[in-house]
Amino acid sequence: MKKFLAAALSALILLVGALFFVACADSGNGGDDNNSPEPPVAVDVYAPDGAPALALAQLMSEEMQFGGDVSYHVVDASTIQTFVTGNDPQAELAILPVNLAAKLLGTGENYQMLGAVTHGNLYILSKTADVHITSDNIQEAFAGKKVGCIQRDNFVGYVLRTVLANAGVKFEDRENKEEENATTDTAYLYDVAGTEIAPAADFDLMVAAEPVVNKKTSATSLKVAGNLQELYGENGYPQAVLVAEKSLIENDPAFIADFIEAVEANAEWVKTADAQVMFDAVQQHYGATPTFAVTDLTAEVISRCAIRFESAQSVKQRVIDFLAEISEAAGQTFSASDAFFYSPENAA
């Protein structure tokens, strides 16, 4: 009798084990998958070429995934807005100039600003080494000068106009580069492409951004004559900001927290990272040659790119004040609602 009971118990154990195995097999092959692991969240990250791309260099170099399926893309600066607009935007995360982010996304309905990642990388160039523009001589330095400015009718030009207006410098936009100056007390601002920033250009002063500034001064006789951030004051200004799709913030706040932490760490990493590693990280995710070279990524140039992360809440008032300033210079209104500024306390 005891042998019979033992045999029956053994058979029962085998039967239960077999049923469990079949259930597990069914679940893995189209059965009830309620307990199957969720697929990693797919995230596309976009940044424009230049200093904003360097603000993600470590993340791209190490292909950081944060438990998701993250793809990094570097694009031409003139196209960045196309990835956060439309009915189905391609970017879950993106870096944009603060004015563009406010103009397109400032309601906070679809995207929120996680923080500022660069804080001014604009410099004034001269053909001679004896020009040193400071807040004390800025009126004299610009009076009667032809000034070639990249993005004159966008962020760079807005900052330049703000600085000149704050310093009491009269200025006027000009389209015809052959037109003679009408007065000797007015700065004449021309829109130029980056390729026009050269010693042979018919400009007294030129405004460009790092790290391209170093490329120009290293390869030509152009000299850095002034620092637009110092002329603006207040430790520069929020220039490029990181935004995230609101649905991603709400659905995966842990991902957002980890991504922010990595961007903060990147700001320290770029200070000592190998130049070739940084260059390769940008180029491999661009599919084109960046506007800067490996030799441009020195510690001094990286410092002048002003890469550092400041959270949306800590930089909120500076952004609001800066948008108000450049709105006047641009002749259009840039603004952002409270809902635009991400707060981890309010994240789901």
Side-chain angles (χ1 to χ4, degrees):
M1 184 66 177
K2 289 182 178 178
K3 290 182 178 179
F4 175 77
L5 289 174
L9 181 60
S10 296
L12 180 61
I13 291 172
L14 289 172
L15 178 61
V16 171
L19 290 173
F20 178 76
F21 176 80
V22 170
C24 289
D26 285 345
S27 178
N29 292 279
D32 183 2
D33 59 357
N34 288 336
N35 295 321
S36 298
E38 290 290 330
V41 59
V43 176
D44 284 290
V45 184
Y46 287 83
D49 181 23
L54 293 172
L56 299 176
Q58 184 182 17
L59 286 72
M60 294 190 292
S61 176
E62 299 178 14
E63 294 291 350
M64 294 185 184
Q65 297 297 298
F66 311 101
D69 179 14
V70 182
S71 299
Y72 297 95
H73 313 269
V74 178
V75 299
D76 186 282
S78 65
T79 68
I80 188 62
Q81 69 186 61
T82 65
F83 300 99
V84 294
T85 53
N87 294 329
D88 186 20
Q90 293 176 252
E92 279 74 35
L93 288 149
I95 294 177
L96 301 95
V98 65
N99 64 302
L100 194 58
K103 179 179 180 179
L104 300 175
L105 314 170
T107 63
E109 181 179 355
N110 297 317
Y111 286 82
Q112 286 185 309
M113 172 185 150
L114 302 182
V117 296
T118 67
H119 300 265
N121 62 334
L122 307 179
Y123 293 83
I124 305 164
L125 303 179
S126 170
K127 298 177 184 180
T128 62
D130 59 353
V131 178
H132 301 284
I133 303 173
T134 67
S135 56
D136 293 328
N137 68 4
I138 185 172
Q139 291 188 0
E140 176 185 350
F142 275 91
K145 300 296 193 299
K146 286 186 174 181
V147 183
C149 179
I150 62 167
Q151 297 182 28
R152 185 200 64 181
D153 300 320
N154 210 313
F155 183 85
V156 180
Y158 302 158
V159 176
L160 175 61
R161 292 186 186 95
T162 297
V163 167
L164 295 179
N166 289 346
V169 178
K170 296 198 312 189
F171 58 88
E172 178 184 313
D173 288 347
R174 281 276 181 86
E175 308 304 327
N176 182 3
K177 297 180 177 67
E178 305 302 321
E179 189 174 355
E180 293 297 324
N181 293 358
T183 69
T184 58
D185 65 347
T186 301
Y188 297 95
L189 312 184
Y190 298 85
D191 185 35
V192 299
T195 54
E196 295 181 83
I197 304 291
D202 187 24
F203 301 112
D204 303 296
L205 301 170
M206 288 157 270
V207 179
E210 284 287 19
V212 173
V213 165
N214 186 73
K215 187 174 184 178
K216 296 292 185 179
T217 57
S218 298
T220 73
S221 59
L222 293 177
K223 306 296 181 184
V224 174
N227 181 329
L228 217 55
Q229 291 66 238
E230 290 181 356
L231 292 170
Y232 174 81
E234 301 179 21
N235 197 28
Y237 39 82
Q239 181 167 347
V241 299
L242 173 65
V243 300
E245 205 166 35
K246 197 169 180 180
S247 60
L248 177 61
I249 294 172
E250 293 171 345
N251 295 332
D252 203 341
F255 177 96
I256 294 296
D258 290 345
F259 195 91
I260 288 174
E261 184 177 349
V263 176
E264 288 182 297
N266 179 93
E268 291 301 314
W269 180 84
V270 293
K271 293 178 181 178
T272 57
D274 181 80
Q276 187 69 56
V277 170
M278 289 189 285
F279 180 85
D280 289 346
V282 174
Q283 184 178 47
Q284 289 168 7
H285 293 85
Y286 191 5
T289 302
T291 51
F292 53 85
V294 176
T295 52
D296 296 317
L297 302 181
T298 65
E300 181 182 4
V301 173
I302 292 296
S303 175
R304 295 206 308 234
C305 287
I307 298 169
R308 66 179 186 274
F309 182 84
E310 293 186 7
S311 71
Q313 291 301 316
S314 68
V315 78
K316 176 180 177 179
Q317 193 56 52
R318 288 185 62 212
V319 168
I320 292 171
D321 293 343
F322 181 65
L323 289 174
E325 281 191 292
I326 64 173
S327 291
E328 187 171 347
Q332 59 181 298
T333 300
F334 299 115
S335 62
S337 69
D338 286 345
F340 178 62
F341 298 93
Y342 164 77
S343 173
E345 290 78 13
N346 298 330

